[in-house]
Every structure is written in structure tokens, then in C-alpha cells.
Amino acid sequence: MYVKLLLLCAFSAVFADISEENGVLVLTEANFDGAIADNNFEGAITAEAVSKFVSSNRLPMVVEFTQESAQKIFGGEVKNHILLFVKKTDKDFDTKLSDFKEAAKDFKGEVLFIYLDTSDEDNARILEFFGLKAEECPAVRLITLGEDMTKYKPDTNDLSTEAVRSFVQAFRDGKLKPHLMSEEVPEDWDAKPVKTLVGKNFVEVALDEKKDAFVEFYAPWCGHCKQLAPIWDELAEKFKDRDDLVIAKMDSTANEVEQVKVQSFPTLKFFPKGSQQVVDYNGERTLEALAKFVESGGKDGAGEPEEPEEEEEEEEEEDKPKDEL
């Protein structure tokens, strides 16, 4: 009976906010985060308008990223996400979250505001995906969940409401450039037959018009990449005396380039000299097959496109990404 009375009082307060004869109000758990007054539908009631309204109000103004909320976050229609990376145990956590939530009010239905607890070990892979270290947090990053999953980074570490609002507005206005991660160029990047590429030396080396380049884009935790590593070393050793050829690898969890969008690991791409063409290699991952492909200048044995494999690691279930992030 107590629960029934509590719900009756709550719904009475909610309905009191509806002034129109044919009002529409979304009632979800999100209504109990203090945002009831913001959930009144305004305008002509059409199927399209109501659908958009419901989609915009199905989650709280700011939602915590957890295994339980991930499906709702990624399954929603809003594909622009801004994430606040912060420790819930920080003494000023409530203040930071409040400032973040205040900025969210201006972008409801356009950008989803999410916060992520960096003290939770389950979120380590997401930090890695954004090129963040725990000691660099609190911080914010923005991502568009399209085919390329483009990321954006603010120019400052200011997490005030106004700073976050300006950052998101600049994104909406198309004034931001994508943030591409890159490690520093190792001093010994060309000391071995397999050259080491990072974002900062990719164009200079892989797109050298005087040389062919065959590049493996890998992830350190990927089982298929680990299996390919010794074969890739043999391939580079076989062609180490060719001055017009580069066999290289790049850790795509720490480096990104405009010219290549990696969707699975390993991704093998051939960049012919004197050409803007990029050839995807999907053939057999044997020394013989790879060598034949290189000797033909990327023309023979490329193979047919295969299904993504980055989440098929052998006995590495705990290393799988918890979602697309």
C-alpha cells in the first residue's frame, strides 16, 4: 500500500505539469533524476515528432556507462556521444557531474552525455580506445558512431559547464578537426626488417611515392595478430634487401591516420609506389601467399573480403572490447 501511495503521489505531480488537453509525457526511470519538467512534449503531435521525443527522453540527461547501460546507449538513435572520464570517488565528483549535466540540457536529442568511472577496471579498454591514461583524467572526449567512429578532443582540460557547452557547440557547427592519436616515433623504428609506424611517420613512410609499402594494422591483444607476427617477420626478412619496398606494422589501438580506417584486426593494406591506390589484402596468411602478393606489386592473391575478426581471440575472452567503444 505504501508503494502504491508513493507512486500515486509521484504521478500526480507529473501530470500536474501537463497543461495541454492532449499532452504527452515520457515516464521512465530518467524522470526521477530531477528532469520531470523537461520531459513535456511541445508542438504538433505526429508519429515522427513523438518518436523523436521518446528517443530523446529514454535515458537520463547524463547516463553512466556500464555493462547494463551499454545496450541502451549504443542502441539509441543518438550517435553523437560525449564522455566524461572521471573517478566516482573524487571529492569533487558531484560538482563535475553537475556541470556536465547542465551543459547536456542544450543538446538533448542531438548529443548523448555519458560519464565513465575510470576507477572501474572494466573500463580500461575504453580509456585505451580514446588514447587516455588514468592519470590524465578527469577529461572529456566526443565521438560520432559512424563507420569511421570519429573522435574529437577539446583544446583545454576545462570541464566547466561553459567549456563543455562550447566544445559541443563547435562540434555541431562543424568547426572541430578529428583527433587522431599517435605515439612518438621510436628512435629504432627502422632498425629491423619490419618497420614500426606511428601516426606521426605514417605518411612519410607508407605513402612514399618511390616505394611500395605493405602494412599490418594490429592490436596488441589480438590473437590473430600474434599468430601473424612471426610470419610477418619472415616476410620482411625475405625482402629486406629491396630498397623500393617497406614491410611495416602499426599499433592501431594507439595510432590513427586519415588515410586508413581500421575495422578489424589484423588489417593488411598495400600502398603501391607512384599511385594513390590502396589494396586490401584478404588472402591466405602464409609466407608463400604474402610473398607472391608482394612480388606482383599487390596484384595477385589479394583475396576476397572476410568477416571482421578482432573479437575472435583464442582463449582471450577477458580482452574483448565490452562494446564498439
Side-chain angles (χ1 to χ4, degrees), residues 131-159:
L132 277 169
K133 297 179 181 178
E135 55 268 26
E136 296 176 307
C137 299
V140 296
R141 294 292 186 270
L142 195 151
I143 184 170
T144 59
L145 298 185
E147 183 177 342
D148 297 338
M149 287 201 291
T150 307
K151 298 173 234 177
Y152 300 88
K153 174 184 177 182
D155 293 332
T156 71
N157 294 322
D158 188 352
L159 299 179

Side-chain angles (χ1 to χ4, degrees), residues 31 38-39 56 171 177 197-198 214 288 312:
N31 295 124
D38 296 326
N39 283 13
S56 299
F171 162 74
K177 291 184 177 180
L197 301 185
V198 296
F214 198 13
E288 181 180 2
E312 298 177 7

Side-chain angles (χ1 to χ4, degrees), residues 187-312:
E187 292 185 4
D188 61 346
W189 71 271
D190 62 346
K192 298 178 180 179
V194 175
K195 311 307 177 186
T196 300
L197 301 185
V198 296
K200 293 183 177 181
N201 70 345
F202 176 82
V203 172
E204 177 185 355
V205 178
L207 304 186
D208 185 343
E209 293 187 354
K210 297 180 180 179
K211 296 182 179 181
D212 289 333
F214 198 13
V215 183
E216 175 200 4
F217 299 88
Y218 73 97
W221 43 261
C222 169
H224 292 287
C225 301
K226 294 174 183 177
Q227 293 174 8
L228 178 61
I231 300 173
W232 202 249
D233 288 339
E234 289 183 63
L235 181 69
E237 182 68 27
K238 179 179 179 66
F239 294 105
K240 67 178 181 179
D241 295 327
R242 275 189 53 176
D243 295 331
D244 64 339
L245 173 67
V246 174
I247 304 294
K249 62 181 180 180
M250 189 174 84
D251 179 357
S252 288
T253 66
N255 300 278
E256 298 169 317
V257 293
E258 292 183 23
Q259 296 79 6
V260 177
K261 303 302 180 184
V262 178
Q263 302 296 331
S264 62
F265 301 113
T267 288
L268 307 180
K269 290 184 179 288
F270 188 82
F271 304 86
K273 57 187 174 184
S275 171
Q276 298 297 315
Q277 182 185 14
V278 180
V279 181
D280 292 314
Y281 181 82
N282 297 297
E284 295 181 4
R285 294 173 190 163
T286 63
L287 178 59
E288 181 180 2
L290 291 165
K292 179 180 178 181
F293 176 73
V294 170
E295 289 168 347
S296 69
K299 296 177 181 178
D300 296 335
E304 296 297 324
E306 298 177 345
E307 292 297 320
E309 297 177 331
E310 74 266 35
E311 296 188 16
E312 298 177 7

Side-chain angles (χ1 to χ4, degrees), residues 21 89 104 128 139 152 174 183 203 220 243 316 320 322:
E21 183 178 350
T89 54
E128 177 185 299
Y152 300 88
E183 297 174 297
V203 172
D243 295 331
E316 293 186 31
K320 291 182 180 179
K322 64 193 302 182

Side-chain angles (χ1 to χ4, degrees), residues 42-257:
E42 297 180 356
I45 299 178
T46 65
E48 181 180 356
V50 172
S51 177
K52 182 178 180 180
F53 177 72
V54 171
S55 176
S56 299
N57 289 281
R58 64 193 296 269
L59 290 172
M61 189 77 70
V62 175
V63 59
E64 180 180 5
F65 185 90
T66 64
Q67 291 184 349
E68 291 72 28
S69 67
Q71 184 175 356
K72 291 182 179 179
I73 289 173
F74 295 110
E77 294 182 8
V78 181
K79 300 303 181 183
N80 301 319
H81 297 175
I82 182 171
L83 294 92
L84 170 64
F85 296 85
V86 63
K87 282 185 179 180
K88 293 174 74 171
T89 54
D90 285 348
K91 60 181 180 181
D92 58 348
F93 167 74
D94 289 337
T95 300
K96 286 186 173 63
L97 189 61
S98 177
D99 290 345
F100 194 60
K101 183 175 180 179
E102 189 64 28
K105 294 178 180 179
D106 292 340
F107 306 100
K108 195 172 183 179
E110 298 181 55
V111 179
L112 186 59
F113 279 62
I114 304 163
Y115 77 91
L116 183 144
D117 184 7
T118 58
S119 61
D120 186 340
E121 293 183 1
D122 288 342
N123 293 328
R125 179 62 60 75
I126 303 175
L127 280 165
E128 177 185 299
F129 177 78
F130 282 91
L132 277 169
K133 297 179 181 178
E135 55 268 26
E136 296 176 307
C137 299
V140 296
R141 294 292 186 270
L142 195 151
I143 184 170
T144 59
L145 298 185
E147 183 177 342
D148 297 338
M149 287 201 291
T150 307
K151 298 173 234 177
Y152 300 88
K153 174 184 177 182
D155 293 332
T156 71
N157 294 322
D158 188 352
L159 299 179
S160 66
T161 296
E162 187 54 41
V164 173
R165 184 185 289 125
S166 297
F167 174 55
V168 179
Q169 187 61 50
F171 162 74
R172 283 183 60 192
D173 295 340
K175 296 179 179 179
L176 298 182
K177 291 184 177 180
H179 172 59
L180 300 174
M181 298 185 298
S182 177
E183 297 174 297
E184 293 300 320
V185 180
E187 292 185 4
D188 61 346
W189 71 271
D190 62 346
K192 298 178 180 179
V194 175
K195 311 307 177 186
T196 300
L197 301 185
V198 296
K200 293 183 177 181
N201 70 345
F202 176 82
V203 172
E204 177 185 355
V205 178
L207 304 186
D208 185 343
E209 293 187 354
K210 297 180 180 179
K211 296 182 179 181
D212 289 333
F214 198 13
V215 183
E216 175 200 4
F217 299 88
Y218 73 97
W221 43 261
C222 169
H224 292 287
C225 301
K226 294 174 183 177
Q227 293 174 8
L228 178 61
I231 300 173
W232 202 249
D233 288 339
E234 289 183 63
L235 181 69
E237 182 68 27
K238 179 179 179 66
F239 294 105
K240 67 178 181 179
D241 295 327
R242 275 189 53 176
D243 295 331
D244 64 339
L245 173 67
V246 174
I247 304 294
K249 62 181 180 180
M250 189 174 84
D251 179 357
S252 288
T253 66
N255 300 278
E256 298 169 317
V257 293

